[in-house]
Amino acid sequence: MNKLLLGLIVAPFFVLSAANVVANDATDASAEIIQEFTEMCVSWAKEDDISNEELYNYVLKCVNDELTAEGYNTVTAVKI
């Protein structure tokens, strides 16, 4: 009975640990992919009438959203 109770207490920690390993399994995108996403996001910014003052933050967020959706690590800066 004690082993069963201990197993029920410890099991969720193993599940959370395994999920964390999978979540951190992203890879870095190539410079070409980042540039492609940057160009796409700049195009979307123009379509959305984003001001020049807001452009960089808009594009950075957009690029990181696309990278995350594709399973890549995010970036801290983009070249517009």
Side-chain angles (χ1 to χ4, degrees):
M1 178 84 169
N2 286 339
K3 289 182 181 180
L4 177 62
L5 184 58
L6 180 62
L8 290 173
I9 292 171
V10 174
F13 293 108
F14 286 116
V15 171
L16 290 174
S17 178
N20 190 32
V21 167
V22 171
N24 290 331
D25 207 20
T27 59
D28 291 336
S30 68
E32 292 81 20
I33 291 173
I34 295 169
Q35 184 61 34
E36 180 181 320
F37 286 156
T38 301
E39 291 171 4
M40 180 180 67
C41 291
V42 167
S43 175
W44 290 349
K46 289 179 183 177
E47 291 174 7
D48 291 343
D49 292 324
I50 301 300
S51 70
N52 285 338
E53 293 81 25
E54 299 172 333
L55 181 64
Y56 183 83
N57 288 333
Y58 176 95
V59 172
L60 180 60
K61 181 180 181 327
C62 176
V63 168
N64 280 328
D65 289 346
E66 294 299 317
L67 289 170
T68 300
E70 295 295 323
Y72 293 110
N73 291 322
T74 58
V75 294
T76 57
V78 291
K79 294 180 184 177
I80 297 179

